[in-house]
Amino acid sequence: MQKNEKTAENGEGREGKKLPKASEYMARTEQAVLHTYNRFPVVLEKGQGVYLEDVEGKRYLDFGAGIAVFALGYGNEEYNEALKSQVDKLIHTSNLYYHAPLMEAAEKLVKASGLSRVFFTNSGTEAIEGALKAARKYAYNKDGRTDHEIIAMEHSFHGRSIGALSVTGNAHYQEAFKPLMGGVKFARFNDLESVKAQVTDRTCAIILETVQGEGGIYPAEPEFLKGVKQLCQEKDILLILDEIQCGMGRTGSYFAWQQYGVEPDIMTCAKALGCGVPVGAFVLGEKAAASSLVPGDHGTTYGGNPLACAAVSRVFDLFEKERIIDHVRQLTPYLEQTLDALVEKYEFLSARRGMGFMQGLVVTGRPVGEIVGKALENGLIVLSAGSDVLRFVPPLVITKEDIDEMARRLEKSF
Ligand SMILES: *Cc1c(COP(=O)(O)O)cnc(C)c1O
């Protein structure tokens, strides 16, 4: 779809200041930025609460949150203040030194997860890379072999770097970039037998999203996740749970696995972890932390710098203060009912799937991208996932009224 044809007629900001037209921003961007995204024809400028505003002053109700990132909503004063004051103090140190924000952010992430040790990265993809390395090192320490295998899931998404792409179960994303990392086998999500069939004496890790996001919003079935965990325990295989999208309160607990009672050996986290500041983390349980990465094995220049950690630290404070997770739990039934009512009402909506504020509607017989585009015209941001799913991952601070308004704007777009 060609999405950059829109021509804005006004060249005036609301204060009467002369601004470039949206069409000019888009054209100039396309001239300078490598075209790896088909962007929607909107130039966003600012946000307040759960609304975004473009350069022409049009407002959008945001049920995408920058892809499950902006959990606290836009313009949270305490969050913004934490960043501003850190900017004035110290933005970066490298990892050769200690600083207070690192201690605070790591302690809070350890507390929220109940796991043991944190390594901060700059993105989700890098968190996956670190998790894979930690798992290989753990196995290496055990048997000294260098031919360990990792089992990943079909329709998974873990990122686009070579390592993360290697465990991403999407042939289309992988094809042109082969050869990828070796020793990766794929199993079917929610099919324990297919996982068991891939296990060998060289398997060092099983990696999966607790709730598959990009693949189409598929929560793990409790029996499946418990079965995988048991398999891992029996064979001393590390369980890596990717909580990059489903973590940080989105499903009604800090991390989705906490609702299953299945603790990972390694967890990856990003997206809402910094609520907009680029930061990720992989977090090790005691077993993996005791025997895996040591000085010299892994590093990053920026990862966990004072600015990123000040964001993470304040995000946890605000989650507690604003009781974000309780709010998600309380409002989830209403969001689910609202979406279920749409499934009842419209022929082309065949099902709803999801957990908490991570929901998908399955669209049949209509391109989902068309609905996403129409919704945008009607001032509503929703996302797609997989080939046929409308994805809802709003800021975690939405209200009942926002859900009603979302439904109104969405129906208008059908
Ligand atoms: C977004 C995502 C990633 C990649 O994170 P980036 O920050 O884009 O590198 C990995 N895993 C899951 C489940 C994701 O949703």
Side-chain angles (χ1 to χ4, degrees):
M1 205 192 334
Q2 188 68 21
K3 291 175 185 145
N4 53 3
E5 286 174 342
K6 182 174 168 182
T7 50
E9 296 310 328
N10 71 326
E12 302 246 322
R14 267 151 312 144
E15 294 95 37
K17 229 175 30 202
K18 210 64 176 158
L19 292 172
K21 292 177 181 172
S23 58
E24 185 188 331
Y25 279 106
M26 292 188 262
R28 282 169 58 183
T29 302
E30 290 300 339
Q31 283 304 310
V33 170
L34 186 67
H35 188 85
T36 57
Y37 280 96
N38 287 318
R39 290 168 208 271
F40 289 99
V42 165
V43 184
L44 295 173
E45 185 176 55
K46 55 190 173 190
Q48 193 57 45
V50 295
Y51 281 83
L52 285 164
E53 194 174 315
D54 70 15
V55 288
E56 293 163 353
K58 178 170 170 176
R59 279 158 53 87
Y60 304 84
L61 175 58
D62 184 11
F63 268 59
I67 316 190
V69 168
F70 236 104
L72 296 169
Y74 303 98
N76 182 301
E77 272 179 32
E78 288 178 62
Y79 172 82
N80 289 358
E81 271 316 312
L83 288 186
K84 286 178 199 168
S85 73
Q86 192 60 48
V87 164
D88 289 334
K89 269 192 240 164
L90 187 61
I91 294 175
H92 179 76
T93 57
S94 85
N95 276 301
L96 301 178
Y97 313 98
Y98 295 90
H99 54 83
L102 174 63
M103 173 192 73
E104 287 165 9
E107 280 182 355
K108 289 169 191 176
L109 182 48
V110 162
K111 179 158 180 266
S113 64
L115 298 174
S116 178
R117 295 282 191 282
V118 178
F119 184 106
F120 286 110
T121 64
N122 308 295
S123 67
T125 300
E126 284 171 272
I128 296 290
E129 295 290 334
L132 298 177
K133 281 181 70 177
R136 279 188 166 180
K137 184 72 193 295
Y138 175 84
Y140 175 84
N141 284 348
K142 257 192 334 190
D143 61 17
R145 293 173 70 148
T146 53
D147 58 352
H148 292 112
E149 296 171 351
I150 292 169
I151 300 173
M153 300 299 136
E154 292 173 5
H155 306 295
S156 61
F157 182 83
H158 299 292
R160 309 284 199 141
S161 63
I162 294 291
L165 185 59
S166 301
V167 292
T168 288
N170 183 322
H172 175 70
Y173 288 170
Q174 292 189 340
E175 179 59 22
F177 307 101
K178 290 182 172 174
L180 298 172
M181 185 181 89
V184 179
K185 295 172 151 187
F186 285 94
R188 280 188 300 280
F189 192 64
N190 281 334
D191 179 345
L192 186 58
E193 290 311 312
S194 86
V195 178
K196 286 185 176 164
Q198 300 294 353
V199 173
T200 71
D201 64 345
R202 282 157 302 165
T203 308
C204 70
I206 298 175
I207 181 168
L208 57 102
E209 296 152 86
T210 318
V211 183
Q212 286 194 333
E214 304 298 314
I217 315 290
Y218 289 95
E221 282 162 18
E223 289 320 304
F224 172 72
L225 201 56
K226 287 184 183 136
V228 170
K229 173 73 184 179
Q230 198 182 355
L231 184 64
C232 287
Q233 280 173 323
E234 280 165 18
K235 313 237 175 214
D236 197 20
I237 294 167
L238 297 187
L239 175 60
I240 304 173
L241 291 182
D242 182 347
E243 290 263 340
I244 290 169
Q245 188 160 159
C246 62
M248 292 307 289
R250 180 154 299 281
T251 66
S253 53
Y254 262 118
F255 301 103
W257 53 263
Q258 291 167 330
Q259 290 172 64
Y260 292 81
V262 170
E263 189 176 287
D265 297 293
I266 306 176
M267 169 182 83
T268 57
C269 192
K271 291 200 163 87
L273 178 62
C275 280
V277 168
V279 60
F282 59 98
V283 190
L284 309 183
E286 258 168 46
K287 184 169 91 168
S291 178
S292 59
L293 303 175
V294 294
D297 279 342
H298 200 56
T300 163
T301 300
Y302 284 139
N305 84 6
L307 184 66
C309 286
V312 173
S313 178
R314 189 53 60 98
V315 166
F316 278 113
D317 292 347
L318 290 168
F319 264 63
E320 295 301 321
K321 185 174 163 207
E322 298 182 10
R323 304 176 66 85
I324 297 282
I325 290 172
D326 287 345
H327 176 71
V328 172
R329 283 209 197 127
Q330 277 160 16
L331 214 55
T332 290
Y334 192 71
L335 177 61
E336 290 181 342
Q337 282 159 27
T338 304
L339 295 174
D340 284 341
L342 295 175
V343 173
E344 279 288 301
K345 189 165 166 190
Y346 294 95
E347 277 279 283
F348 61 91
L349 297 177
S350 57
R352 175 189 63 78
R353 285 195 297 262
M355 268 174 88
F357 286 3
M358 182 172 182
Q359 295 286 340
L361 289 179
V362 182
V363 179
T364 44
R366 266 210 208 188
V368 70
E370 225 164 71
I371 300 175
V372 173
K374 265 273 178 282
L376 196 64
E377 281 174 30
N378 290 319
L380 172 68
I381 293 179
V382 286
L383 309 174
S384 60
S387 56
D388 63 349
V389 174
L390 260 184
R391 171 169 40 161
F392 304 84
V393 283
L396 304 184
V397 295
I398 52 163
T399 61
K400 236 175 163 168
E401 290 67 45
D402 296 326
I403 293 172
D404 292 339
E405 186 60 27
M406 175 277 288
R408 263 195 296 279
R409 292 184 187 199
L410 191 60
E411 287 199 74
K412 207 171 138 198
S413 316
F414 283 160

